[in-house]
Amino acid sequence: MKRTGSAVWQGGLKDGKGTVSTESGVLSSVPYSFGKRFGDEKGTNPEELIGAAHASCFSMALSAVLGEAGMTADEISTSAAVTVVPADGGFAITAVHLTVKAKIPGASDADFQKAAEGAKAGCPVSKVLNAEITMDATLVS
């Protein structure tokens, strides 16, 4: 299985502009730029897309781990905060912090924490990121 995302960039780093698209067409020529990425300009950027990918991957992984333990969540809500810092004359993603809230009938907090840690380690996006990945996981009753 392969999934494809693509981008087109025109111009210089700070004055240029680009578009990002996905094979599925969900994103189709969505604009991005230096101002959108590093400034306050509204629009998407690679780091928020990584965050969205990580949050969605983790939520599905947690659902799988819970299913293996005989549990099904009513809802799993995950956000992923991606930290970008100046490094070596450029920028680096140094950390991702997952914030997870889940409603799981009959689950103990200990069972939930164990499942969340397993999902964090097993999520394919977690595995591809070379950054510290931290998490806050909250079981909602």
Side-chain angles (χ1 to χ4, degrees), residues 6-7 35 40 54 68 97 110 124 138:
S6 61
D40 295 328
H54 200 181
E68 291 168 4
H97 182 79
T138 304

Side-chain angles (χ1 to χ4, degrees), residues 68-85:
E68 291 168 4
M71 295 180 276
T72 302
D74 287 344
E75 182 174 281
I76 299 167
S77 175
T78 307
S79 67
V82 178
T83 300
V84 182
V85 300

Side-chain angles (χ1 to χ4, degrees), residues 21-46:
S21 302
T22 57
E23 176 182 14
S24 68
V26 170
L27 297 178
S28 180
S29 298
V30 175
Y32 75 106
S33 66
F34 186 89
K36 288 175 174 64
R37 189 172 188 187
F38 298 109
D40 295 328
E41 198 177 315
K42 292 287 185 197
T44 196
N45 59 73

